[in-house]
Amino acid sequence: MAAQFGRRLRKGAATTAVAAVAVAALSASQAPGVNDHGRQTAADATPSPDASASDGSATGNSPYYTDLPPLKSPNPSPSTGTGTAAPGTTEAGIPATVLDAYKKAEAALNEAKPGCNLPWQLLAAIGRVESGQARGGRVDADGTTISPILGPQLDGNGFALIRDTDDGAHDGNSSYDQAVGPMQFIPSTWKWAGRDGNADGKKDPNNIYDAALAAGHYLCRFDWDLSDQKDLDRAILSYNNSREYLNLVMRWVEYYRKGTHEIPDGTGTLPDNRSDDGAGASPSPSTPNTPNTPTTPAPGGSKPRPSPKPEKPGGGTTTPKPPTDPGSTPTTPPSTPPTNTDTVDHLEDAGTAKLTAMAGDAFTKRISTRAETKAGKAVGKVRVRFTIIGDTDTTFTGGENVATVATNSSGVAVAPALQAGEKTGGVTVRATVVGRTVAGLDYTATVTERAADALARTGDAALTCTPGGEFANQVEVKATYGGAVADGVAATATLIKSADDPAVADKGPYFKDADGKAVRTLKALKTDAKGLLKLPKLYADDTTGTFLLRIDTAGGATLTVELTVAAAETSSPSPSTSPSASPGA
């Protein structure tokens, strides 16, 4: 069986007491409002009221490591971590390959989504909390974990209930999903969030480069600005919807912001404590069973099961269940009540309006879907996945083609706004229920070509030329749509015979093609980012008169410009002065 989260052996009572004192001291040193600059830390800032409103998460709200950062601030190492790590540095340091993956992901996001302002320290904090930096950097040269890192199966028994979504492809479990890899993505999230961070042609949640890049895109998917604390809170809570998780991640962010150092792969320290106290997780193969915890044989010769755990550090015990009498009649276990997801029979449209947008624009209407029982009753708190399918560059706002939204108390899930790409035509968005096999519901959105409804010249200089010459001024127009700049709009310029005859003229002004030949129609023109279109120079043949240039754009905007070809005016010679007659002639 694939290895799951490793746990260190429990220490003796004396060690536990020392640890408790240390944790208390650490907590006190990191009390709200206290740090080395005398300002309130981001971890203790009050999140916005809706910061915890997310019902989904990257990890399925799986357990995580709860160890706090060390008391002593990290000091960046002068070396690059090529030698042996000094004693006491491994807990504060980050394994070389893991750190490289975080920094490469930050660089990629700064280019792809610069407005997100993703810091690599956030990825490091999440990686620390989720997997102890890939179990202390136990990765191969390509960044893939030496053995799989799996969270407990999400079977609803102390955890969320998420039935299998990948047929066990990533987690080896065909019944329930499990969080996978160093960043602990559940398979249903990895399906759309996965990225190829090391350019090997694969999207592997067990590879730190792939997982770190995927985490970066996940945290930046809603156009959040992570330099703003409210957006940062929202992003972290969307990864694991827990206030304690948010506070813990922020403590590690602040810790890594003060500096860190690189340590060799495989030398990192594994965390001690998990939010579930280890429930549902097995030790990794490299971790021996804890001494003095013999196993108790199960009735009927089945595999032994672990005996009850000893007292946990900090107090509290796990109450052992009495063994089953093999001779007694087995009782039927109580049936598990159906979850909200189990009761969903179908999806219905919830009043979605016509979905139409011009290429490059955001759709003003959004898709609304309602989850219902067989009797037509609304079902709340059900995750609905919206997927854009087919050959299109239209995405949801944030650049993703998949979004998961929980239904509200009315059973309605509203998808994020769609952002039209440049490909025109129909776009299909399919709504499905996560964890439930029911027919999907398809919506069609339409992307139309960029258009203009008005054209105007940017100048009013007369457009005149002498026969056989060239026009001194070029024609420039500005396109608008609804009063706003119309950029990227296709246009055609044609020299026509007359206002009543739009046929292409066979004489008069003309443009030149690449070979210098006369042409009187220009196609495939486009307005620039400011809605401007500047035509090439115009020339005149020997024909004089008034001529018309018509410019047409997608959307129906038309402008006719008048051109004049006339001979240059000649100056009349001044009358000559006759010599005066000589007197007496």
Side-chain angles (χ1 to χ4, degrees):
M1 182 178 177
Q4 292 180 313
F5 275 102
R7 289 176 53 83
R8 284 185 168 185
L9 303 180
R10 294 287 187 185
K11 311 293 191 300
T15 305
T16 301
V18 172
V21 172
V23 170
L26 176 59
S27 300
S29 71
Q30 297 179 340
V34 179
N35 70 3
D36 57 350
H37 298 294
R39 61 178 175 82
Q40 185 184 34
T41 64
D44 300 304
T46 302
S48 58
D50 60 344
S52 60
S54 171
D55 289 306
S57 73
T59 68
N61 296 325
S62 293
Y64 53 90
Y65 287 115
T66 58
D67 298 55
L68 291 168
L71 284 168
K72 187 176 181 180
S73 297
N75 293 314
S77 171
S79 67
T80 57
T82 56
T84 304
T89 65
T90 55
E91 189 173 7
I94 300 177
T97 298
V98 178
L99 181 59
D100 184 56
Y102 296 150
K103 292 186 175 181
K104 278 184 167 58
E106 178 194 56
L109 266 298
N110 283 345
E111 182 176 348
K113 298 180 181 179
C116 180
N117 295 305
L118 173 78
W120 68 260
Q121 291 90 343
L122 174 59
L123 298 176
I126 290 175
R128 170 72 191 196
V129 169
E130 292 295 346
S131 69
Q133 309 297 19
R135 288 207 193 100
R138 288 161 177 80
V139 296
D140 63 19
D142 296 323
T144 302
T145 57
I146 302 301
S147 58
I149 302 175
L150 297 175
Q153 69 175 13
L154 301 175
D155 57 5
N157 184 21
F159 309 110
L161 174 60
I162 303 178
R163 291 189 170 84
D164 175 63
T165 60
D166 68 333
D167 199 25
H170 292 303
D171 55 14
N173 189 335
S174 59
S175 298
Y176 301 95
D177 270 355
Q178 293 175 249
V180 181
M183 303 305 279
Q184 288 291 278
F185 279 97
I186 53 175
S188 57
T189 302
W190 184 260
K191 182 177 181 181
W192 61 266
R195 293 292 192 279
D196 179 10
N198 59 353
D200 64 353
K202 298 183 295 184
K203 299 176 182 178
D204 183 3
N206 296 296
N207 181 277
I208 185 59
Y209 288 99
D210 293 359
L213 184 60
H217 277 279
Y218 183 92
L219 294 163
C220 291
R221 70 195 187 284
F222 289 135
D223 282 345
W224 283 323
D225 177 1
L226 303 188
S227 64
D228 179 274
Q229 188 62 45
K230 290 183 179 179
D231 279 357
L232 181 57
D233 288 349
R234 294 185 182 99
I236 296 171
L237 286 168
S238 78
Y239 209 90
N240 191 313
N241 192 14
S242 161
R243 184 68 55 176
E244 291 78 11
Y245 182 88
L246 166 65
N247 292 336
L248 179 61
V249 167
M250 280 309 309
R251 291 196 185 282
W252 279 104
V253 169
E254 292 293 336
Y255 179 76
Y256 288 134
R257 279 175 174 166
K258 296 173 184 175
T260 187
H261 54 273
E262 181 182 296
I263 59 174
D265 290 343
T267 64
T269 302
L270 291 177
D272 284 311
N273 307 296
R274 286 184 0 122
S275 58
D276 64 337
D277 273 336
S282 307
S284 68
S286 61
T287 306
N289 288 328
T290 306
N292 302 323
T293 54
T295 56
T296 303
S302 59
K303 293 181 180 180
R305 64 176 185 268
S307 63
K309 298 176 184 177
E311 183 175 339
K312 298 179 288 185
T317 58
T318 303
T319 305
K321 295 181 180 179
T324 304
D325 181 1
S328 63
T329 303
T331 58
T332 303
S335 59
T336 304
T339 64
N340 286 20
T341 301
D342 292 332
T343 65
V344 176
D345 176 75
H346 60 274
L347 293 174
E348 288 284 345
D349 176 48
T352 303
K354 185 177 180 180
L355 299 167
T356 303
M358 196 181 297
D361 288 351
F363 283 74
T364 57
K365 307 297 182 182
R366 296 165 68 179
I367 295 172
S368 296
T369 300
R370 183 171 55 252
E372 296 184 354
T373 65
K374 189 173 184 178
K377 184 179 178 181
V379 185
K381 296 185 179 180
V382 171
R383 293 188 301 154
V384 175
R385 179 178 296 120
F386 297 95
T387 305
I388 300 172
I389 59 178
D391 182 18
T392 179
D393 55 356
T394 291
T395 64
F396 290 111
T397 303
E400 309 296 345
N401 60 8
V402 177
T404 302
V405 181
T407 59
N408 59 20
S409 58
S410 300
V412 176
V414 180
L418 288 165
Q419 174 67 43
E422 294 302 322
K423 291 183 179 179
T424 59
V427 176
T428 300
V429 181
R430 179 166 297 161
T432 56
V433 179
V434 177
R436 177 77 168 158
T437 305
V438 298
L441 184 61
D442 286 354
Y443 294 84
T444 299
T446 303
V447 179
T448 62
E449 64 179 334
R450 293 172 182 260
D453 58 12
L455 281 174
R457 281 189 64 195
T458 58
D460 57 4
L463 299 168
T464 60
C465 181
T466 57
E470 67 178 53
F471 287 79
N473 298 307
Q474 289 176 250
V475 177
E476 184 181 64
V477 298
K478 183 173 183 178
T480 56
Y481 188 88
V485 167
D487 61 314
V489 177
T492 301
T494 308
L495 289 151
I496 60 176
K497 289 184 176 181
S498 68
D500 298 325
D501 186 358
V504 180
D506 53 7
K507 58 183 178 180
Y510 60 90
F511 300 104
K512 287 183 180 181
D513 64 12
D515 297 324
K517 296 181 180 179
V519 293
R520 291 186 168 88
T521 298
L522 296 178
K523 297 181 179 179
L525 303 172
K526 275 192 176 182
T527 60
D528 65 13
K530 296 180 179 180
L532 299 176
L533 174 62
K534 191 171 187 177
L535 300 181
K537 281 186 176 183
L538 279 162
Y539 302 86
D541 59 16
D542 293 334
T543 310
T544 60
T546 300
F547 303 90
L548 298 179
L549 168 66
R550 192 178 71 188
I551 304 171
D552 300 295
T553 69
T558 299
L559 178 66
T560 302
V561 179
E562 190 173 279
L563 307 172
T564 303
V565 179
E569 293 183 4
T570 57
S571 302
S572 300
S574 57
S576 59
T577 305
S578 302
S580 302
S582 300

